[in-house]
Amino acid sequence: MAETLHSDQQPPHGEAGERVERLWARSMTASIVVLIGVIVFTSAHWGLHPPSRLETIDSTTLHQGGEFSEANLGTFIAPDGSAVVRLVAQQYAFVPSCVLVPAGVPVTMRLASADVVHGFLIQGTNVNAMVVPGYVTTVSTTFQEAGDRLMPCHEFCGVGHQAMWAHVRIVDAKQFPFEDAKAKAVSCAG
Ligand code: CUA
């Protein structure tokens, strides 16, 4: 290509150039500091849980047995009285599609993906995480108020992504079937 650079397109030389570079470096440093500050503030203020527990699982054999086999999906009451919810995320649904949990009881949610990366959040709570194939995502929370909440997938996972969500039904502890849930997984899926 021929010489097309005009003199007014040349970068500034000498002192002017250094001034521009210093200004650029300062504004970049400032934006990095602001972004880190936003991450620290939102993590502390909203109690976000990065999916940091490294538990691995073979995503291709979830249905063949083990923790995430069909009979184990739903809510169990552990010996210590807390609730453990197991879900599988797959294109394009969560199993079970309706999660039943008692209010005011510590809940540990354990999710595994059967195929690609999914995400989930529960509206109005601090629950928000990704579900990466090959790993178990664990989130702990306590739902304070009874009511129905939506749990959409928030990672684009394919053409059916926007239709991928579950209900979370939080019921008063008096209405939760604690005895049943000690023996088998319970849910509100039809
Ligand atoms: Cu699963 Cu989007």
Side-chain angles (χ1 to χ4, degrees):
M1 260 222 324
E3 184 76 61
T4 53
L5 207 61
H6 300 295
S7 62
D8 60 350
Q9 292 175 315
Q10 298 281 355
H13 297 286
E15 244 178 75
E18 271 177 38
R19 213 167 45 233
V20 170
E21 279 190 19
R22 266 200 305 275
L23 191 67
W24 181 249
R26 280 201 201 107
S27 54
M28 285 304 101
T29 309
S31 15
I32 290 167
V33 169
V34 167
L35 288 175
I36 291 174
V38 166
I39 292 169
V40 170
F41 174 77
T42 51
S43 303
H45 185 64
W46 291 325
L48 295 185
H49 305 282
S52 51
R53 284 185 60 184
L54 283 184
E55 263 183 83
T56 56
I57 192 161
D58 182 352
S59 282
T60 59
T61 58
L62 290 182
H63 58 288
Q64 289 172 7
E67 182 181 352
F68 291 93
S69 62
E70 205 176 344
N72 285 337
L73 301 180
T75 309
F76 277 99
I77 295 300
D80 67 359
S82 71
V84 179
V85 183
R86 291 188 181 85
L87 291 119
V88 165
Q90 61 190 33
Q91 288 168 319
Y92 297 99
F94 291 100
V95 185
S97 59
C98 183
V99 176
L100 187 68
V101 284
V105 169
V107 175
T108 301
M109 303 187 73
R110 290 173 62 77
L111 282 88
S113 166
D115 37 49
V116 300
V117 176
H118 299 277
F120 72 106
L121 61 81
I122 303 177
Q123 287 177 337
T125 71
N126 63 344
V127 175
N128 183 340
M130 283 168 76
V131 189
V132 180
Y135 294 92
V136 178
T137 298
T138 304
V139 174
S140 297
T141 190
T142 301
F143 299 102
Q144 300 298 351
E145 284 171 35
D148 275 20
R149 293 185 186 277
L150 281 183
M151 184 178 113
C153 173
H154 65 52
E155 285 291 331
F156 182 76
C157 52
V159 289
H161 160 72
Q162 78 284 352
M164 180 172 173
W165 45 269
H167 280 292
V168 178
R169 183 159 300 156
I170 305 148
V171 295
D172 206 88
K174 287 195 286 288
Q175 286 158 10
F176 185 84
F178 278 94
E179 287 309 311
D180 290 356
K182 283 177 186 167
K184 65 178 176 70
V186 300
S187 81
C188 42

